Amino acid sequence: MDENNAVLMVADNVYRIGPSARQPGSLDPNIYLVVSGEEAALVNAGPYQTFDELMDAASSLIAPEKLVLVALTTAAADMCSALPLVEKKSPGAHVAMHWRTSRMVSERISSLPPFIVNENRWEFSFRNGKKLLFFPSAYLSSPGEIQVFEPESSVLFSSSLFSSFTSGTGELAFDYRQMEPLIAYHEHYMPDSRTIKSILEKI
C-alpha cells in the first residue's frame, strides 16, 4: 500500500485509515474504521476528494459490503461529504447521527438509512453483540455533534473536542509540547469555553 494511504492500528480492531499526507497548518480529518467480527463501522465518511484512498485503506482490512455503519460525529463537509460515494460502495450501511445532523446532511444521502442515535438509546449493536456508544457534544463546532465510544478498546472518538491545526511534526498523536495549533483551532472554531468545559465534565 502507498505510504500516503496508511492504515494505523490505534487499538485492537480500531484503525485510522486513509491518506496520511499532512500539511502544516491544515485541518486534516482523521477517519477511523472499527472492525467487529464480520462487520465494520466507519467513524465519519471523510471528504469527497479522498474517498478512493480511504476505501482502498478500508478494503485492506474488510470488504466494503461488510460496512454496516457510518457514524457522523459532525456535519462538517470534510467529515461527511463522501457519503454519496459510501452509498455506492456499501449500500447496506446505516448512517448514525444526531437528528440535527440528519437535517443538515439529508441531501447527501438518498438510500442510506439513517440511524438517529438520540432515538436509539445512544447505542448501536453489531450482530456479534458488541456495541458502539454515542454521547452528545452539541454545539462544539456544529449543533448535532456527537462523540463515539468503543467500549471493548476504551477508545473515544471525540469529534472536534481535541481537534488541532496540523503541526509540522507529521505525527498523528498530539504532542503536548506543541500546544499552539490546538489553542489556535479552539480559539477560531469553538463557540464558548463553557461548552467545552461542560463536555469535558461529562467525559
Side-chain angles (χ1 to χ4, degrees):
M1 181 174 294
D2 191 301
E3 63 180 5
N4 290 325
N5 185 15
V7 173
L8 175 66
M9 187 171 77
V10 296
D12 288 344
N13 299 312
V14 178
Y15 306 87
R16 183 199 180 268
I17 60 172
S20 60
R22 306 168 70 79
Q23 296 298 319
S26 64
L27 288 172
D28 297 322
N30 289 319
I31 311 302
Y32 295 91
L33 184 75
V34 178
V35 178
S36 187
E38 296 297 313
E39 298 178 313
L42 274 178
V43 179
N44 295 306
Y48 192 96
Q49 298 91 325
T50 60
F51 179 76
D52 287 341
E53 294 92 335
L54 183 80
M55 286 308 293
D56 283 349
S59 297
S60 72
L61 299 165
I62 196 164
E65 59 269 21
K66 301 294 186 181
L67 184 68
V68 296
L69 190 76
V70 181
L72 294 186
T73 63
T74 174
D78 61 338
M79 293 298 192
C80 67
S81 60
L83 278 173
L85 301 176
V86 174
E87 192 170 29
K88 294 178 180 179
K89 292 280 189 177
S90 306
H94 287 68
V95 182
M97 55 193 159
H98 193 277
W99 74 264
R100 295 187 188 103
T101 297
S102 71
R103 301 302 191 271
M104 299 174 76
V105 303
S106 59
E107 76 283 357
R108 293 182 184 149
I109 53 176
S110 58
S111 64
L112 292 178
F115 180 88
I116 307 301
V117 297
N118 52 292
E119 296 174 1
N120 284 278
R121 300 183 299 172
W122 297 90
E123 63 181 43
F124 173 85
S125 296
F126 294 100
R127 283 202 306 262
N128 62 7
K130 295 178 183 178
K131 295 183 178 183
L132 292 177
L133 306 180
F134 307 97
F135 300 98
S137 53
Y139 301 103
L140 273 177
S141 62
S142 68
E145 195 154 332
I146 60 172
Q147 297 177 347
V148 183
F149 183 65
E150 202 284 297
E152 188 165 296
S153 60
S154 296
V155 171
L156 176 70
F157 304 98
S158 61
S159 193
S160 66
L161 182 59
F162 300 110
S163 290
S164 172
F165 290 112
T166 302
S167 70
T169 65
E171 297 292 330
L172 176 62
F174 180 73
D175 185 343
Y176 282 95
R177 294 171 296 179
Q178 298 200 16
M179 290 289 289
E180 292 85 358
L182 183 143
I183 291 170
Y185 176 88
H186 283 71
E187 284 178 345
H188 289 288
Y189 288 93
M190 295 296 178
D192 193 300
S193 63
R194 290 171 295 183
T195 304
I196 297 173
K197 288 176 182 176
S198 173
I199 292 168
L200 282 170
E201 287 170 0
K202 291 175 184 175
I203 293 175

